[in-house]
Amino acid sequence: VTEKVLRKARCPVLAVRAPAHDFVAPANGEDPVRLRKILFGTDFSPHSERALEYALSLAEEYNAELTLLNVLEEIPASTDLSTVTADVIRQLEAPIPAEVRNWCTIKPRLRVGRPYQEIVRYARETGTDLVVLGVRGRNALDLALFGSTTHRVLQSGPCPVLALRI
């Protein structure tokens, strides 16, 4: 049901699996929501571009650290890793307005592996509070054969996922 809602909803969907994450605090006079670390996963698609707007907005609202993560499934053997890394970092930082750094720490990162595994691994390693992902509308055959990165991050991730189908 969650996967279907994530794929079909025209509005952002915040999915929280059990056990609930602790970024929502009890009413004790403090801010009820504490987002310190936000992880934005991108494949540089138009879906990701729109999701970045939400990630930036949340980072600004909560003065949170924002990690921009791209995962490559593999790096061709004839390619230099440092060159690929520099290119990806430039791509990650290009859409970030200069003034963002006044209120937010931006961390561009590249990982190599299966996207959902690396997103989950990074979120666990860093104590991420929220993962933000753009969702592609995929057909049933694609999902049966390949699965969904968003669905797998939600299933095995350590924190809530904000999914945006654009």
Side-chain angles (χ1 to χ4, degrees):
V1 172
T2 303
E3 173 69 15
K4 193 175 277 188
V5 170
L6 289 172
R7 283 189 292 113
K8 295 189 181 269
R10 295 278 179 209
C11 62
V13 176
L14 178 62
V16 182
R17 69 175 184 87
H21 195 66
D22 65 352
F23 71 81
V24 177
N28 60 2
E30 294 181 22
D31 288 335
V33 176
R34 296 182 311 250
L35 290 175
R36 296 171 304 275
K37 293 184 178 189
I38 299 170
L39 173 58
F40 167 66
T42 181
D43 60 2
F44 302 116
S45 69
H47 305 281
S48 292
E49 290 173 19
R50 183 76 172 119
L52 176 59
E53 294 175 25
Y54 280 83
L56 287 167
S57 178
L58 287 165
E60 179 179 14
E61 177 71 25
Y62 295 101
N63 197 28
E65 172 184 286
L66 177 59
T67 300
L68 313 171
L69 178 65
N70 177 252
V71 180
L72 297 176
E73 296 216 27
E74 62 183 39
I75 296 178
S78 62
T79 308
D80 177 45
L81 179 60
S82 62
T83 302
V84 171
T85 301
D87 289 344
V88 169
I89 297 300
R90 274 192 294 277
Q91 280 185 279
L92 288 168
E93 291 183 324
I96 306 299
E99 69 272 6
V100 166
R101 295 182 194 284
N102 294 332
W103 44 260
C104 177
T105 300
I106 300 289
K107 291 184 165 186
R109 298 290 186 261
L110 170 65
R111 293 238 171 148
V112 178
R114 290 186 158 197
Y116 79 92
Q117 289 174 335
E118 293 305 317
I119 292 168
V120 168
R121 184 175 292 127
Y122 190 89
R124 280 201 176 102
E125 289 171 1
T126 61
T128 295
D129 296 310
L130 178 68
V131 174
V132 179
L133 298 170
V135 178
R136 293 183 204 196
R138 293 173 66 181
N139 65 40
L141 181 60
D142 282 345
L143 291 170
L145 294 175
F146 306 112
S148 158
T149 296
T150 304
H151 182 67
R152 289 177 173 171
V153 170
L154 179 60
Q155 280 184 323
S156 57
C159 62
V161 175
L162 178 63
L164 297 107
R165 182 176 179 268
I166 310 303

